[in-house]
């Protein structure tokens, strides 16, 4: 039983670090993006990773600390994280559909800019 507990806790902590790293990576991609739709798309992906981070943090607090306060705080983190994942996954799908349109418009803009030089 102790081995299972250690495996679960270490997996959750590893997932915490992974989700935080992915959040930072997509936030940097959002900052470095010059296109509007692509920037919002990266924002939605980073918020999904932030939501997964909150879910993992809530699960970790519930598993490691079994007090009633830890369970309530963990449940709030899980609910807020699940809402973030749900809402920003819908936004990601919406903006992913608009990425080809923006790519075409960006190519036309670049072609016009090359002609004017």
């Amino acid at each position: 039983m102790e081995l299972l507990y250690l495996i679960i806790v270490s997996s959750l902590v590893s997932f915490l670090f992974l989700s935080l790293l992915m959040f930072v990576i997509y936030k940097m991609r959002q900052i470095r993006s010059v296109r509007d739709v692509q920037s919002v798309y990266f924002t939605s992906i980073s918020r999904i990773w932030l939501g997964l981070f909150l879910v993992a943090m809530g699960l970790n607090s519930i598993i490691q600390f079994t007090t009633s306060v830890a369970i309530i705080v963990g449940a709030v983190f899980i609910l807020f994280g699940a809402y973030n994942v749900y809402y920003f996954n819908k936004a990601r799908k919406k903006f992913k559909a608009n990425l080809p349109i923006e790519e075409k418009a960006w190519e036309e803009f670049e072609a016009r800019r090359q002609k004017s030089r």
Side-chain angles (χ1 to χ4, degrees):
M1 190 68 176
E2 267 186 51
L3 180 64
L4 182 63
Y5 175 77
L6 289 175
I7 290 172
I8 290 172
V9 169
S10 56
S11 298
L12 280 173
V13 170
S14 298
F15 187 71
L16 278 169
F17 285 121
L18 173 72
S19 60
L20 188 61
L21 176 70
M22 293 303 290
F23 170 73
V24 170
I25 287 172
Y26 277 105
K27 205 47 134 162
M28 293 313 255
R29 288 184 78 179
Q30 177 231 336
I31 291 169
R32 296 185 65 167
S33 178
V34 295
R35 301 177 186 176
D36 293 334
V37 176
Q38 192 177 40
S39 176
V40 174
Y41 177 71
F42 289 143
T43 300
S44 63
I45 293 176
S46 70
R47 295 293 296 265
I48 289 171
W49 281 107
L50 181 64
L52 291 173
F53 175 79
L54 289 174
V55 168
M57 183 72 85
L59 286 173
N60 192 25
S61 72
I62 289 174
I63 290 173
Q64 278 193 333
F65 314 108
T66 55
T67 63
S68 59
V69 174
I71 291 173
I72 292 170
V73 169
V76 168
F77 275 17
I78 290 171
L79 289 174
F80 188 63
Y83 174 75
N84 266 347
V85 170
Y86 173 75
Y87 179 76
F88 288 105
N89 190 35
K90 283 175 48 177
R92 179 195 60 85
K93 289 177 184 178
K94 177 183 175 185
F95 289 113
K96 186 176 183 179
N98 292 330
L99 282 175
I101 298 167
E102 186 190 38
E103 181 69 30
K104 184 179 175 186
W106 190 262
E107 288 172 1
E108 291 173 3
F109 172 73
E110 289 292 324
R112 284 187 204 149
R113 198 168 96 184
Q114 292 297 330
K115 278 185 181 180
S116 67
R117 285 186 181 180

